[in-house]
Amino acid sequence: GTPSWTKDIAKAMQALIEADCSGTFHYTNEGVASWYDFALQAIEFARELGYSIKTRELLPIPSSEYPTPAVRPHYSVLNKEKIRPLLAESNPHWRMSLLSMLKQMKGSAL
């Protein structure tokens, strides 16, 4: 899938409202990540920013070892071709949005 920051989702929704669009649009940040990829990157960025991280090791597991009530597709990245032309700004990669979000949280904690 693609992790997405709610701030970016809100901007995309605002663009759709301003363009007076109707219909179904898909939006996520750019890039693809597993939950492991996302967690690993979040820990790395958090450490770089000075967050107190106690985790020493992160181990990936297959989806089959993490049972959920809903059956999840193996690859679930949404097609954003319909929304891209309507966005005022380029769509950020999930890693850059994650870093921005962590920086914003760090600043709010002061």
Side-chain angles (χ1 to χ4, degrees):
T2 304
S4 300
W5 189 15
T6 52
K7 185 175 180 178
D8 294 331
I9 295 169
K11 285 180 185 178
M13 290 175 64
Q14 182 177 1
L16 292 174
I17 292 166
E18 290 173 358
D20 197 29
C21 293
S22 62
T24 302
F25 292 82
H26 297 291
Y27 178 84
T28 61
N29 285 120
E30 294 297 329
V32 176
S34 67
W35 282 110
Y36 173 75
D37 297 328
F38 181 69
L40 201 61
Q41 187 66 75
I43 290 169
E44 181 181 322
F45 282 156
R47 280 192 176 125
E48 288 173 9
L49 293 170
Y51 282 86
S52 176
I53 304 296
K54 295 178 183 178
T55 302
R56 295 186 191 277
E57 185 177 20
L58 193 64
L59 301 173
I61 62 168
S63 296
S64 60
E65 290 185 29
Y66 188 76
T68 60
V71 177
R72 304 286 181 190
H74 179 69
Y75 185 80
S76 58
V77 176
L78 298 174
N79 182 334
K80 300 175 289 265
E81 293 304 315
K82 186 176 175 184
I83 198 171
R84 273 196 186 107
L86 302 170
L87 300 175
E89 302 172 15
S90 64
N91 190 14
H93 193 280
W94 68 265
R95 283 187 180 97
M96 293 304 95
S97 288
L98 173 62
L99 180 58
S100 296
M101 185 269 309
L102 289 169
K103 285 178 178 178
Q104 181 176 316
M105 285 178 56
K106 186 76 170 172
S108 297
L110 299 176

